[in-house]
Amino acid sequence: MASNGVGASGGRDLDPDSSKNVFLDDSALVGEGQDGVRIVDEQEENNLSRSLGQRHIQMIALAGAIGTGLFLSLGGALQTGGPLGALLGYAFVGLVVCAVQFALGETSALFPVTGSFVRHAELLVDPALGFAVGWNVVYGTYLSVPSEISAALVLIQYWTDKYPALWITLLILVTFLVGIIFVGIYGEVEFFFALLKILLVVGVVIMGLVIDLGGVPGQERIGFRYWKNPGPFVEYLASGSLGQFLGFWAVMINAVYSFAGVESLSVAAAETKNPRQNIPKACHRVFARVSIFYILAVLIVGMLVPSNDSALNDQSGTASQSPFVIAAARAGIKAVPSIINAVVLTSAWSASNQSMLAGTRILYGLAIKKQAPEIFLRTTKWGIPYVCVLFQTAVATLAFLSLSNNALTVFYWFLDLTAAGTLVSWSVILFNHIRLHQALKKQGISRQELPWHHWWTPYSSRVGLFFCILFLLTGGFSVFIKGNWDTATFISSDIPIVIILYTGWKLFKGTNIQTLESIPIQMALDEMNDNPEEKITPPKGWARLNFLW
């Protein structure tokens, strides 16, 4: 990694000779007759509070990526792809996540704005793309809160099925309180939740090794016997080699949504201390840690439970469907189910908190660019966009629909429309990065002038974008297999809302795609060099052993 010119926080004037934020020339950035675009708006600089440190944003991303998918969904991956198919699927998607994280880090270091890749799309591609992706993310994150609260209710019902409405009310209330108070408190809450999840991952991996190697009294050594029988791959929807490949491909597509959340670590860049240094560092570290945790977990699961085990058919939504719980129960370890269920419950709550942060900050960023009502710009004296929080809390009351089966069906239909949102976001991040490097070449600016860069990222972004689009187009491939057609699955998988939003805003506003010459790279570099951030000192002593943040 090369890094030079540690830059300024995004909250200073773009023109060093001016005391106010600068509007770029209309025709130069968005086409003649369009609204001017500026990199960091004075409202986000003056009204938001920089209270999130590097450890906060890194652990926020870890908390988002290590969720219910890791603890509850690995059994489905094992059933679909087999132990080797599941391992290869998660490893391959981990490489795509690597490309996404490094692209996001390089772009965010140059443009550390609230809304992250949504605002980057406006600066680097087209204002209509920023509008479309922004509202697509807002739609997805706003619906994610009631969805996660409904999931938390299911987890609570592992212990008791009494007072469901009360539990929903309490979960909405605590999510609102975390969202409305000082953002530093949110950072500490998510930091604690992330530590719980990491400790659980480490614990179940160690437990799995002990069980597999015969360390439990009365249990024989398992080793890799399930890789031999029933085998390393599973035939899925077809027979022979084609069926095994389809199983591997299905695992990859499902793995994408297990990794969902890693892209949100920079949405609160205007609330992050030293964002040009801390956000790239978090992007670099989160990828490695998340990938290691997932790959280790998938490897251990494939050793503990055979892919044809009938216990994997459990779809209760609680800890009982976890393959770790299945293995622990058979080994006579009785405390594990409740421990896993409790930590997964915090995962659901953590996911709703993260959706609250991402949704409110991106909506705030859209309001800054006049792509959402100005009322969403109102903030509390401690820097929280409270109108955005109140609106998202109102949407969270949709969780009460889970008390009615018919209403819940309608709610999940709307939720299915967000299924492709993660891949859309990753694709935009990678495309933004490609455009950035194209503009660097066009304007004759060296990559070495960026605050954070790698020689291979221009190539990895292109490869990553190819596979993201491929995953997006093949996400509903199962409906094309004979006897598996499902209209709702086809629509939710293959027609992202972002296409409709992009076309509508482009026709309504008549926006133009940014020319490579007009992308304000030099302006951002001047700001970075003229107003450098305070240099973060490297850790010393025992702190150097910390591998989490």
Side-chain angles (χ1 to χ4, degrees):
M1 180 188 75
S3 177
N4 54 328
V6 175
S9 70
R12 307 283 176 81
D13 302 327
L14 300 178
D15 184 346
D17 298 324
S18 171
S19 61
K20 297 181 179 179
N21 277 351
V22 180
F23 277 103
L24 302 181
D25 179 72
D26 291 356
S27 60
L29 260 182
V30 292
E32 190 173 353
Q34 298 301 317
D35 294 334
V37 175
R38 51 189 175 183
I39 295 175
V40 178
D41 192 277
E42 64 183 44
Q43 297 209 54
E44 60 185 316
E45 171 60 20
N46 297 331
N47 297 336
L48 300 179
S49 173
R50 291 194 183 275
S51 303
L52 295 176
Q54 192 267 338
R55 69 181 178 92
H56 292 127
I57 60 171
Q58 180 161 311
M59 296 298 271
I60 286 170
L62 278 173
I66 302 174
T68 56
L70 177 62
F71 300 115
L72 302 185
S73 301
L74 291 187
L78 183 62
Q79 271 190 314
T80 302
L84 182 56
L87 182 63
L88 292 176
Y90 272 86
F92 190 87
V93 173
L95 293 176
V96 175
V97 171
C98 174
V100 172
Q101 287 293 89
F102 278 73
L104 180 63
E106 287 191 9
T107 310
S108 297
L110 184 64
F111 301 116
V113 293
T114 297
S116 184
F117 58 91
V118 173
R119 297 273 295 281
H120 299 159
E122 180 172 345
L123 287 166
L124 296 165
V125 186
D126 187 341
L129 182 61
F131 170 84
V133 175
W135 276 106
N136 187 61
V137 173
V138 167
Y139 176 82
T141 53
Y142 273 49
L143 282 185
S144 290
V145 174
S147 171
E148 295 295 343
I149 290 174
S150 298
L153 178 64
V154 173
L155 292 163
I156 290 172
Q157 289 173 343
Y158 178 79
W159 297 296
T160 177
D161 57 0
K162 294 181 179 180
Y163 316 117
L166 175 61
W167 291 116
I168 291 175
T169 303
L170 289 175
L171 288 166
I172 292 174
L173 180 61
V174 294
T175 300
F176 166 75
L177 290 176
V178 172
I180 201 67
I181 58 178
F182 187 56
V183 71
I185 301 298
Y186 164 83
E188 296 298 342
V189 170
E190 289 303 292
F191 182 84
F192 174 72
F193 284 161
L195 279 180
L196 280 181
K197 292 184 221 182
I198 290 169
L199 289 174
L200 179 60
V201 173
V202 173
V204 295
V205 166
I206 294 174
M207 178 198 72
L209 282 173
V210 171
I211 294 173
D212 183 76
L213 296 176
V216 178
Q219 300 288 320
E220 63 178 343
R221 183 179 182 276
I222 301 173
F224 282 88
R225 69 174 63 175
Y226 299 135
W227 287 55
K228 299 178 181 178
N229 183 25
F233 292 98
V234 170
E235 295 178 353
Y236 178 67
L237 298 178
S239 59
S241 299
L242 175 61
Q244 293 178 349
F245 173 77
L246 292 179
F248 160 72
W249 197 261
V251 167
M252 281 204 298
I253 292 172
N254 291 329
V256 167
Y257 304 107
S258 295
F259 283 100
V262 293
E263 72 279 2
S264 64
L265 84 172
S266 66
V267 296
E271 296 165 270
T272 302
K273 301 172 185 175
N274 299 321
R276 295 186 189 274
Q277 299 173 75
N278 282 329
I279 289 177
K281 188 182 296 183
C283 288
H284 179 271
R285 292 180 176 179
V286 165
F287 149 71
R289 285 145 186 77
V290 169
S291 297
I292 290 171
F293 287 143
Y294 269 96
I295 290 172
L296 280 177
V298 174
L299 177 63
I300 296 299
V301 163
M303 294 163 63
L304 292 177
V305 183
S307 58
N308 60 357
D309 195 315
S310 60
L312 296 175
N313 294 324
D314 187 334
Q315 298 296 322
S316 63
T318 66
S320 59
Q321 77 177 72
S322 169
F324 292 111
V325 170
I326 295 171
R330 291 173 180 172
I333 306 175
K334 298 180 180 179
V336 168
S338 288
I339 293 174
I340 290 181
N341 203 70
V343 176
V344 173
L345 178 59
T346 68
S347 296
W349 182 20
S350 171
S352 68
N353 290 340
Q354 188 185 59
S355 293
M356 177 74 78
L357 179 76
T360 53
R361 271 46 176 191
I362 288 178
L363 182 57
Y364 181 85
L366 289 170
I368 285 177
K369 307 314 297 179
K370 302 185 187 302
Q371 296 173 340
E374 290 187 6
I375 191 173
F376 292 118
L377 290 174
R378 297 184 181 181
T379 58
T380 63
K381 62 181 180 180
W382 51 87
I384 300 296
Y386 70 90
V387 177
C388 296
V389 174
L390 290 172
F391 180 47
Q392 189 156 5
T393 303
V395 176
T397 59
L398 290 174
F400 287 105
L401 294 177
S402 62
L403 302 178
S404 165
N405 289 333
N406 292 333
L408 187 62
T409 300
V410 175
F411 171 65
Y412 277 125
W413 188 84
F414 282 109
L415 190 64
D416 283 344
L417 293 176
T418 69
T422 297
L423 284 169
V424 170
S425 296
W426 290 3
S427 298
V428 171
I429 289 169
L430 293 166
F431 190 56
N432 288 342
H433 184 254
I434 292 170
R435 289 278 295 177
L436 171 62
H437 280 271
Q438 289 176 336
L440 285 170
K441 185 176 181 180
K442 187 73 173 180
Q443 296 177 25
I445 300 174
S446 170
R447 288 204 308 264
Q448 280 68 32
E449 294 189 47
L450 295 176
W452 195 67
H453 70 278
H454 295 75
W455 67 266
W456 45 267
T457 52
Y459 311 103
S460 64
S461 288
R462 286 171 168 81
V463 174
L465 179 60
F466 170 80
F467 280 103
C468 282
I469 294 174
L470 189 60
F471 293 156
L472 188 61
L473 295 177
T474 60
F477 78 88
S478 61
V479 301
F480 297 106
I481 305 299
K482 186 176 181 180
N484 285 278
W485 176 261
D486 181 78
T487 303
T489 301
F490 173 74
I491 292 174
S492 65
S493 298
D494 295 308
I495 306 181
I497 296 173
V498 69
I499 295 176
I500 299 172
L501 293 172
Y502 176 78
T503 304
W505 190 257
K506 194 163 188 66
L507 292 175
F508 178 64
K509 286 289 188 177
T511 63
N512 295 324
I513 296 175
Q514 309 284 28
T515 63
L516 295 176
E517 295 87 352
S518 68
I519 293 174
I521 297 175
Q522 191 59 54
M523 180 178 291
L525 291 174
D526 290 343
E527 160 67 6
M528 177 187 76
N529 294 322
D530 294 339
N531 301 281
E533 291 178 350
E534 182 181 351
K535 184 80 172 182
I536 298 176
T537 56
K540 298 180 180 179
W542 289 103
R544 289 180 295 178
L545 300 179
N546 178 17
F547 71 98
L548 293 178
W549 65 87

